[in-house]
Amino acid sequence: MNERHHHHQHGEDSQGATDASGHDKHAGHSVSMFRDKFWLSLALTIPTVIWEPMIQDWFGYTAPPFPGSAFIPAFFGTVVFTYGGRVFLNSAIGELKAQLPGMMTLISLAISVAFVYSFAVLLGFDGHPLWWELATLVTIMLLGHWIEMRSISQAQGALNELAKLLPDLAVRVIEGDRTEEVPVSGLRTDDVVLVRPGASIPADGVVISGKSAVNESMITGESQLVDKTEGSEVLGGTVNGQGSLRVRVLQTGQETALAGIMRLVSQAQSSRSRAQALADRAAFLLTVVAIVAGVATLAAWLLLGAEIDFTVTRVVTVLVIACPHALGLAVPLVTAISTTLGARNGLLIRDRRGLEEARNLDTVVFDKTGTLTLGSHRVVEIVAAKENDPDTVLSLAAAVERDSEHPIAQALLKSAEDKGLALPRSTSFESAAGKGVEAVVEARRLSVGGPALLRQRNVELDNYIANATRRFGDNGQAAIYLVEGENVLAVFAIADQVRPESKAAVAKLQSMAIEVVILTGDSEAVARSVGRELGIDTVFAGVLPDQKSDKIKELQARGKRVAMVGDGVNDAPALVTADVGVAVGAGTDVAVEAGDVVLVRSDPRDIARIVILSRATYRKMIQNLWWAAGYNIVAIPLAAGVLYWAGIVLAPAVGAVLMSASTVIVAINAQLLRRLDMAR
């Protein structure tokens, strides 16, 4: 059950994403293909270099002669060109058909010029052949591509890792205690599956019996184990702890949260950003510059009367140096890694442009309910009559309300549960519509209710309780009383409770020079109360759902860069209007269509993480674009031979090393993004 191979449908999904990652220069290429071609080309290049007369002169040795040994460089150089170089030639044909000449066109042009010229010399043309330069050039290019492809496949490993989360097999309960092993792909809605300790949960579902704690970090980013009992929802791909669970399947295959996350990751990795468009434009311009520089080099050296083999070597080196290879890698690699990093931290990026825009934000607008608050009522303050203890009165009130379904009752019960209070037994429960409830607890006849209960009993409030009641009213909180006979034992303020993480989230954003705004349909008193608690000055209250997008436009008209954070249901128009739309509280429903970024957790602290990720991603892209294009500013003139007078000349193989080094630096620099600490 706990085997973690991905089954067929996920394998296909992840492969599709790999091909669509924005690095389509390598569509159809694989890591192993470049690896194999590199090693074989290297083996063929070694004799090409050893039997090369020029190398023998340089190093003062004589390679063992035998009949035909003079043709070794030409023979092996031709094999390396046709075997190792074919991948570049085929890709160049594809680029030219698409009328988008790029790096493959340049590489192909360089090796073809070297091959045709060397072959002409072999047939009797006067000059010096470039067989060893050609062989080393192809071999080094293959090495650069192998390293690059490995980086890309590692970056996109997120999809493959997600695919592996689902087990191959599930244990289906047939009846009673009888079970059978079935492929996960064969599960249907309403099947009951047995999830043993330590096993992966095979599909989304609800626990019908058993008790356990589940590790959901791979989907929600939540590091704590989540307790599961009867009625709890579980997600496919998460790992069960020590207990055994029976789960009724609710969603399978493409309907599961995991499949939804995979779709979003795939979509984000292949969605094009402005930086990607810039990189592609730069790569195209660099190709044009290289060809012009190559032609100019050829003309200049011929006019200066240089030897033809020297001139051709210079042209080949210019074409190699200028390959916009690192440019092609600079952005897609950062894109893939940042998407993966986001997914691991519970940030699902639907649209790359949203993530790119996040670094410029100066205003974050929160829809209050369910975002800054829990979206369910709790006791937010207890004022007990002087001789009573707050925890004691809360446990008494919750005991009175134990059998009631009313939202106020649920608020009291949940608050007592949050505090871990044991509830005394209650009997003789009675409910009086609109006036509250009554029960006998520990031989005391107690009532719980609002102002109507006080009026019915003609209870007079002392100043202490009356002042608290007034304060609660000013904050838009409901006042609920615990009454014994004619004595008020305590008053509870009941409201939609602010999330424990909200204060830190707001403080973090403000420390990043981002203004925080509350936007809510609630009353001014309720909104102001939450604003005061969290240190938020700007509050828009009483805003209807269809007016929310107008408020966003108002802020944008003042020149603000606005992120809207909402639950993605009634906030959809506002999420679309904002510069960055963040759908929060999506939980398992990752099909939120409105947000640029979907938060798996309902944790407002994740908003700051989006900005941190956006800024770090942008920094890496700019660094990579400079690494990729910047070295050409120095290298192309050197390759053309402008410092020949000072004795500085680059051989084609050195050009290939420099070009490959630039690619490798870009790949390593992108990988460093993985070390980003998003909790800072």
Side-chain angles (χ1 to χ4, degrees):
M1 166 87 186
N2 202 23
E3 293 167 48
R4 306 287 280 275
H5 311 299
H6 55 81
H7 55 78
H8 187 58
Q9 106 200 0
H10 287 288
E12 288 175 343
D13 286 354
S14 58
Q15 185 54 47
T18 304
D19 288 345
S21 74
H23 196 68
D24 51 7
K25 287 93 184 167
H26 290 314
H29 298 171
S30 70
V31 182
S32 57
M33 184 264 284
F34 278 114
R35 181 194 63 214
D36 297 347
K37 278 189 180 288
F38 163 71
W39 285 117
L40 192 51
S41 296
L42 179 64
L44 295 168
T45 298
I46 291 167
T48 313
V49 173
I50 291 172
W51 270 275
E52 166 61 43
M54 184 191 288
I55 301 290
Q56 293 181 50
D57 285 350
W58 285 357
F59 291 98
Y61 72 91
T62 305
F66 55 84
S69 62
F71 292 103
I72 283 181
F75 177 73
F76 284 111
T78 302
V79 174
V80 170
F81 173 73
T82 51
Y83 168 72
R86 188 189 302 161
V87 62
F88 303 120
L89 297 168
N90 289 343
S91 299
I93 291 164
E95 284 184 350
L96 293 171
K97 275 183 182 166
Q99 296 181 344
L100 284 171
M103 62 187 76
M104 295 302 192
T105 306
L106 281 186
I107 297 171
S108 299
L109 207 51
I111 61 177
S112 299
V113 167
F115 175 74
V116 170
Y117 170 72
S118 301
F119 202 73
V121 172
L122 187 68
L123 296 177
F125 184 78
D126 190 25
H128 187 88
L130 304 172
W131 294 118
W132 78 272
E133 289 96 334
L134 170 62
T136 50
L137 181 54
V138 170
T139 303
I140 289 167
M141 285 297 181
L142 288 169
L143 175 64
H145 280 67
W146 174 26
I147 292 169
E148 175 189 336
M149 290 296 290
R150 271 187 60 191
S151 296
I152 292 170
S153 64
Q154 280 167 6
Q156 286 161 341
L159 281 171
N160 299 322
E161 289 308 307
L162 284 170
K164 287 178 196 163
L165 290 175
L166 278 189
D168 271 348
L169 299 170
V171 180
R172 183 160 60 191
V173 179
I174 309 168
E175 54 185 86
D177 289 334
R178 280 183 56 222
T179 60
E180 63 173 354
E181 280 208 336
V182 294
V184 166
S185 51
L187 286 180
R188 298 285 171 264
T189 306
D190 286 337
D191 280 353
V192 174
V193 291
L194 174 65
V195 186
R196 297 188 175 117
S200 293
I201 294 168
D204 293 1
V206 63
V207 176
I208 54 172
S209 70
K211 193 171 180 184
S212 187
V214 171
N215 178 358
E216 295 188 341
S217 62
M218 60 291 294
I219 288 187
T220 65
E222 175 59 63
S223 56
Q224 303 288 321
L225 293 180
V226 183
D227 289 331
K228 302 291 180 187
T229 53
E230 194 177 321
S232 303
E233 292 199 350
V234 291
L235 302 176
T238 57
V239 178
N240 188 20
Q242 297 309 305
S244 189
L245 299 174
R246 285 188 179 219
V247 174
R248 182 181 306 286
V249 174
L250 297 178
Q251 262 110 19
T252 61
Q254 292 303 303
E255 304 305 312
T256 61
L258 183 64
I261 290 172
M262 288 179 67
R263 275 195 297 278
L264 284 179
V265 172
S266 163
Q267 198 177 330
Q269 288 190 344
S270 57
S271 75
R272 295 176 57 73
S273 64
R274 290 182 186 86
Q276 177 64 59
L278 173 71
D280 283 355
R281 206 160 60 247
F284 178 74
L285 286 172
L286 202 52
T287 305
V288 174
V289 166
I291 292 169
V292 170
V295 172
T297 303
L298 180 70
W301 284 113
L302 287 178
L303 285 172
L304 291 168
E307 291 178 11
I308 189 74
D309 59 332
F310 175 84
T311 304
V312 171
T313 306
R314 296 280 57 75
V315 172
V316 168
T317 311
V318 166
L319 293 174
V320 171
I321 279 278
C323 284
H325 212 253
L327 260 178
L329 186 62
V331 175
L333 204 46
V334 174
T335 297
I337 291 169
S338 65
T339 305
T340 304
L341 206 56
R344 283 207 190 119
N345 284 275
L347 316 175
L348 301 176
I349 297 147
R350 277 191 64 250
D351 190 332
R352 297 284 326 164
R353 288 176 183 241
L355 181 69
E356 216 164 88
E357 198 61 49
R359 69 192 172 83
N360 298 318
L361 291 175
D362 52 25
T363 308
V364 172
V365 178
F366 282 98
D367 170 52
K368 179 186 74 69
T369 309
T371 305
L372 290 172
T373 64
L374 291 171
S376 62
H377 285 66
R378 294 285 195 286
V379 174
V380 292
E381 193 180 338
I382 302 170
V383 174
K386 294 178 182 58
E387 70 279 5
N388 292 306
D389 167 63
D391 281 357
T392 306
V393 290
L394 178 58
S395 64
L396 290 172
V400 172
E401 292 277 18
R402 177 181 269 151
D403 295 329
S404 170
E405 290 299 316
H406 193 276
I408 296 292
Q410 293 304 309
L412 287 163
L413 286 160
K414 282 213 170 76
S415 298
E417 187 185 304
D418 291 348
K419 288 190 168 193
L421 301 178
L423 301 190
R425 287 198 50 212
S426 58
T427 55
S428 312
F429 174 82
E430 277 178 44
S431 173
K435 305 225 173 55
V437 297
E438 201 171 275
V440 175
V441 182
E442 294 180 338
R444 301 166 71 179
R445 190 151 200 76
L446 302 173
S447 305
V448 174
L453 173 68
L454 301 186
R455 284 196 296 275
Q456 186 200 19
R457 299 271 179 95
N458 292 320
V459 172
E460 285 294 315
L461 296 177
D462 63 25
N463 279 345
Y464 185 59
I465 300 287
N467 287 339
T469 302
R470 244 190 320 277
R471 193 174 77 250
F472 296 166
D474 291 346
N475 288 342
Q477 297 161 341
I480 298 298
Y481 305 89
L482 174 64
V483 181
E484 183 174 20
E486 289 181 9
N487 295 326
V488 174
L489 305 182
V491 60
F492 305 96
I494 297 204
D496 183 6
Q497 191 186 356
V498 170
R499 286 181 183 279
E501 313 89 2
S502 294
K503 203 169 183 62
V506 171
K508 178 71 180 170
L509 287 168
Q510 289 169 339
S511 75
M512 295 165 80
I514 294 172
E515 184 191 357
V516 181
V517 176
I518 290 178
L519 181 62
T520 180
D522 270 351
S523 69
E524 187 83 25
V526 172
R528 289 260 164 232
S529 159
V530 172
R532 266 197 306 278
E533 189 175 340
L534 296 175
I536 300 170
D537 298 327
T538 314
V539 174
F540 298 132
V543 183
L544 297 172
D546 54 352
Q547 297 168 341
K548 286 181 179 175
S549 55
D550 296 337
K551 288 289 179 191
I552 302 289
K553 283 180 190 154
E554 235 174 80
L555 289 166
Q556 288 170 326
R558 287 192 236 152
K560 305 274 191 190
R561 293 285 183 89
V562 185
M564 169 71 193
V565 186
D567 61 12
V569 182
N570 61 13
D571 299 322
L575 291 176
V576 172
T577 306
D579 297 285
V580 181
V582 182
V584 172
T588 60
D589 179 16
V590 289
V592 179
E593 289 302 315
D596 297 311
V597 183
V598 179
L599 301 190
V600 177
R601 290 178 293 237
S602 302
D603 186 342
R605 289 175 302 185
D606 284 344
I607 309 303
R609 291 190 181 113
I610 296 170
V611 179
I612 290 167
L613 180 62
S614 173
R615 289 176 181 175
T617 301
Y618 182 75
R619 270 197 312 274
K620 275 282 171 266
M621 282 183 180
I622 296 302
Q623 284 167 12
N624 273 2
L625 289 173
W626 271 110
W627 267 116
Y631 93 110
N632 284 291
I633 297 165
V634 176
I636 289 177
L638 273 183
V642 293
L643 291 183
Y644 176 68
W645 55 271
I648 298 172
V649 186
L650 294 183
V654 175
V657 168
L658 279 177
M659 204 231 67
S660 294
S662 147
T663 305
V664 172
I665 288 167
V666 162
I668 291 169
N669 190 38
Q671 296 291 348
L672 291 177
L673 185 60
R674 292 176 185 277
R675 291 160 56 182
L676 176 69
D677 177 9
M678 285 167 62
R680 284 178 309 176

